[in-house]
Amino acid sequence: MKNQNGTFKDWANANVSRQIEDTVLYGYYTLYSVILFCVFLWIPFVYFYYEEKDDDDTGKCTQIKTALKYTLGFVVICALLLLIGAFVPLNVPNNKNSTEWEKVKFLFEELGSSHGLAALSFSISSLTLIGMLAAITYTAYGMSALPLNLIKGTRSAAYERLENTEDIEEVEQHIQTIKSKSKDGRPLSVRDKRTLKQLEERLRALKKRERHLEFIENSWWTKLCGALRPLKIIWGIFFILVALLFVISLFLSNLDKALHSAGVDSGFIIFGANLSNPLNMLLPLLQTVFPLDYILITIIIMYFIFTSMAGIRNIGIWFFWIRLYKIRRGRTRPQALLFLCMILLLIVLHTSYMIYSLAPQYVMYGSQNYLIESNVTYDDHKGNSTLSVPKRCDADAPEDQCTVTRTYLFLHKFWFFSAAYYFGNWAFLGVFLIGLVVSCCKGKKSVIEGVDEDDSDISDDEPSVYSA
């Protein structure tokens, strides 16, 4: 709506500006409502439906009823979040002696004046907080694990198969040694029976591993991966450079808030950027040429998705110290896939605030400029003159000259969420550094890593060609 010299375009009058802002706001209402529907209704219902489907004696109607019963709990949680956000006003009544009815009336006036913004903002911020925890756990680790795994590659299938064959021969030799003790008719001791049972289970696992290694060694996918090995190394170097760019930008932005923000009570809101970071300078510049900024934002989001999936695949899905599911290509349970979808949905939701942390100027005002009066002195005529000079919009700009983005209003409606995001960014940086050290110290991954754990309903007798 503004020119680069800081003036409004001819068509951008007050009414048109307000219509555009309302349209964008209602667009966010719609998209965020879809997210609430997926997180609190659709994904829980499908998850519990598949949980009931595991029981063969359960009919379709019983599965649907049970799934709806458990899903009702998530709907109640969603309703509570909306009510808390709607009826906890950010402003208090001026009259301390007001009656209870006047206080209730004030709550509804606050709700009506914000068009439900606070209610939806509180719910989305709560989900974003959960997404922040998922990003700290999975995305931060994935940002270091994905590029280093691409650079290091996997172990040779032929070499692993040779090692596995040696292990099979060794276990068979131990089994023969124990069985030889009973050739003369003497029964085996309890200890020998227990050892024999363990060795037989070990032998079955090794033979199963042998079948996988033989299949992988002869598959076309392994040969293709070998041919693309130089390309993987290039992508790994690119991803680690992008990760370092994000980490440096996030560190500078958080350091700026720590040094120059209004404090924790304001949610570490900063008035103007004092320490510039690369992304904060690049995005407003790209916005002047449509659609370069959208392309970069899409690349950033896709990068977060890929690194998050890499982190989830390496770590698995956990509930505190209990591993719930392991993600494996072609071998993942439906419930695990639903968990994966929900985690990625929450992480992408948190990406909105992550982009603000990386580029606060872009998220708040974009490339908007406004005019300020500047005194200019001319030496020849020994006089002064006042000129209007364009300046980049910041928090000190007049409200009628700079329009704050609607997404910023969603992110900073409640100061305590902003404070939590600030401390979460420091935790994100710490986990990234820890993950970087761990990934550097770990050796190459097995070419069939993850196929030994029997946590899938899908049979392991038919190895996936994509396991490499």
Side-chain angles (χ1 to χ4, degrees):
M1 296 186 292
K2 303 194 74 174
N3 298 308
Q4 288 302 308
N5 60 6
T7 60
F8 282 94
K9 294 182 179 180
D10 296 334
W11 54 267
N13 54 49
N15 293 331
V16 173
S17 300
R18 186 60 184 174
Q19 289 176 1
I20 294 175
E21 292 174 13
D22 289 342
T23 302
V24 174
L25 189 61
Y26 293 144
Y28 276 114
Y29 279 163
T30 303
L31 296 175
Y32 282 136
S33 299
V34 170
I35 292 176
L36 291 180
F37 172 79
C38 291
V39 172
F40 288 107
L41 186 61
W42 181 247
I43 294 180
F45 172 79
V46 177
Y47 175 82
F48 290 119
Y49 178 82
Y50 273 101
E51 282 291 306
E52 290 298 314
K53 193 175 181 180
D54 290 341
D55 191 355
D56 296 333
D57 298 333
T58 306
K60 291 284 184 182
C61 293
T62 306
Q63 293 175 24
I64 295 174
K65 289 179 181 178
T66 307
L68 287 174
K69 181 177 66 175
Y70 289 118
T71 306
L72 185 61
F74 286 85
V75 175
V76 171
I77 294 174
C78 180
L80 288 175
L81 291 176
L82 290 172
L83 287 174
I84 292 173
F87 294 105
V88 178
L90 299 179
N91 300 317
V92 297
N94 295 326
N95 187 6
K96 295 182 179 180
N97 298 323
S98 58
T99 64
E100 292 298 323
W101 167 247
E102 289 175 342
K103 292 179 180 179
V104 172
K105 185 178 178 181
F106 175 79
L107 291 177
F108 280 99
E109 289 176 352
E110 281 288 302
L111 176 62
S113 63
S114 63
H115 305 289
L117 175 63
L120 189 58
S121 176
F122 189 88
S123 303
I124 294 299
S125 297
S126 301
L127 294 180
T128 305
L129 198 62
I130 301 174
M132 180 191 73
L133 299 177
I136 292 172
T137 305
Y138 296 114
T139 310
Y141 177 72
M143 284 175 62
S144 57
L146 176 62
L148 291 179
N149 287 339
L150 287 173
I151 293 173
K152 290 189 293 186
T154 58
R155 300 178 65 190
S156 168
Y159 182 74
E160 281 196 70
R161 191 179 175 190
L162 178 62
E163 286 184 338
N164 194 75
T165 303
E166 293 176 354
D167 292 338
I168 290 176
E169 293 175 355
E170 183 179 352
V171 171
E172 287 178 339
Q173 184 178 358
H174 280 99
I175 291 176
Q176 288 298 115
T177 303
I178 294 176
K179 286 183 176 180
S180 64
K181 295 180 181 180
S182 62
K183 283 185 177 180
D184 55 358
R186 289 182 302 173
L188 293 174
S189 63
V190 176
R191 180 180 179 182
D192 287 338
K193 289 181 179 179
R194 185 171 60 250
T195 304
L196 181 61
K197 183 179 179 180
Q198 292 175 352
L199 288 173
E200 288 175 344
E201 291 177 355
R202 170 71 174 159
L203 182 61
R204 282 195 296 269
L206 288 172
K207 288 184 177 180
K208 176 181 168 182
R209 181 180 174 85
E210 176 72 16
R211 292 195 300 271
H212 282 288
L213 287 170
E214 182 181 1
F215 183 86
I216 293 299
E217 185 180 5
N218 299 324
S219 69
W220 62 268
W221 179 256
T222 304
K223 297 179 175 61
L224 179 63
C225 289
L228 297 178
R229 183 82 186 98
L231 187 61
K232 284 186 174 182
I233 296 176
I234 294 174
W235 275 110
I237 295 173
F238 172 75
F239 280 151
I240 198 67
L241 291 177
V242 173
L244 292 176
L245 173 64
F246 285 169
V247 168
I248 292 172
S249 298
L250 188 60
F251 174 76
L252 291 175
S253 178
N254 250 32
L255 182 62
D256 196 8
K257 292 179 181 179
L259 297 177
H260 305 105
S261 70
V264 66
D265 293 339
S266 66
F268 293 97
I269 294 178
I270 191 168
F271 299 101
N274 299 279
L275 298 177
S276 297
N277 64 71
L279 284 176
N280 196 35
M281 294 185 293
L282 181 61
L283 277 169
L285 184 64
L286 293 179
Q287 193 183 29
T288 59
V289 182
F290 179 84
L292 292 182
D293 60 325
Y294 291 127
I295 294 175
L296 182 57
I297 289 294
T298 303
I299 292 174
I300 292 174
I301 294 175
M302 294 305 298
Y303 176 78
F304 278 127
I305 291 176
F306 283 132
T307 53
S308 300
M309 293 182 67
I312 295 172
R313 191 168 185 269
N314 280 274
I315 298 174
I317 299 174
W318 293 72
F319 181 75
F320 292 102
W321 59 87
I322 302 172
R323 170 176 276 175
L324 299 179
Y325 301 104
K326 190 173 180 66
I327 305 298
R328 301 182 293 172
R329 281 186 194 153
R331 317 163 72 79
T332 307
R333 299 183 62 181
Q335 294 92 325
L337 291 176
L338 289 170
F339 260 106
L340 175 64
C341 291
M342 182 175 285
I343 291 172
L344 290 177
L345 188 64
L346 295 174
I347 288 176
V348 171
L349 197 59
H350 176 65
T351 304
S352 299
Y353 186 83
M354 183 64 74
I355 294 176
Y356 165 74
S357 300
L358 295 170
Q361 171 66 35
Y362 173 79
V363 173
M364 287 181 68
Y365 298 104
S367 59
Q368 295 181 79
N369 294 323
Y370 71 102
L371 297 176
I372 60 172
E373 301 295 331
S374 177
N375 293 326
V376 179
T377 302
Y378 299 98
D379 294 335
D380 297 340
H381 303 285
K382 296 183 179 180
N384 295 331
S385 121
T386 302
L387 293 177
S388 295
V389 180
K391 181 184 177 182
R392 188 73 76 184
C393 285
D394 53 24
D396 297 327
E399 293 183 5
D400 59 340
Q401 292 296 316
C402 293
T403 304
V404 180
T405 59
R406 302 302 94 182
T407 182
Y408 179 80
L409 296 180
F410 271 97
L411 293 173
H412 295 86
K413 193 68 176 176
F414 299 92
W415 65 267
F416 43 85
F417 283 117
S418 299
Y421 300 148
Y422 166 79
F423 291 111
N425 286 340
W426 288 117
F428 185 93
L429 293 172
V431 172
F432 170 80
L433 294 177
I434 294 173
L436 189 64
V437 174
V438 171
S439 299
C440 289
C441 295
K442 288 177 65 176
K444 290 183 177 182
K445 294 170 58 178
S446 170
V447 73
I448 56 169
E449 181 174 348
V451 302
D452 296 328
E453 294 86 350
D454 189 18
D455 60 350
S456 174
D457 293 337
I458 302 174
S459 173
D460 285 334
D461 295 334
E462 296 294 336
S464 172
V465 72
Y466 302 105
S467 296

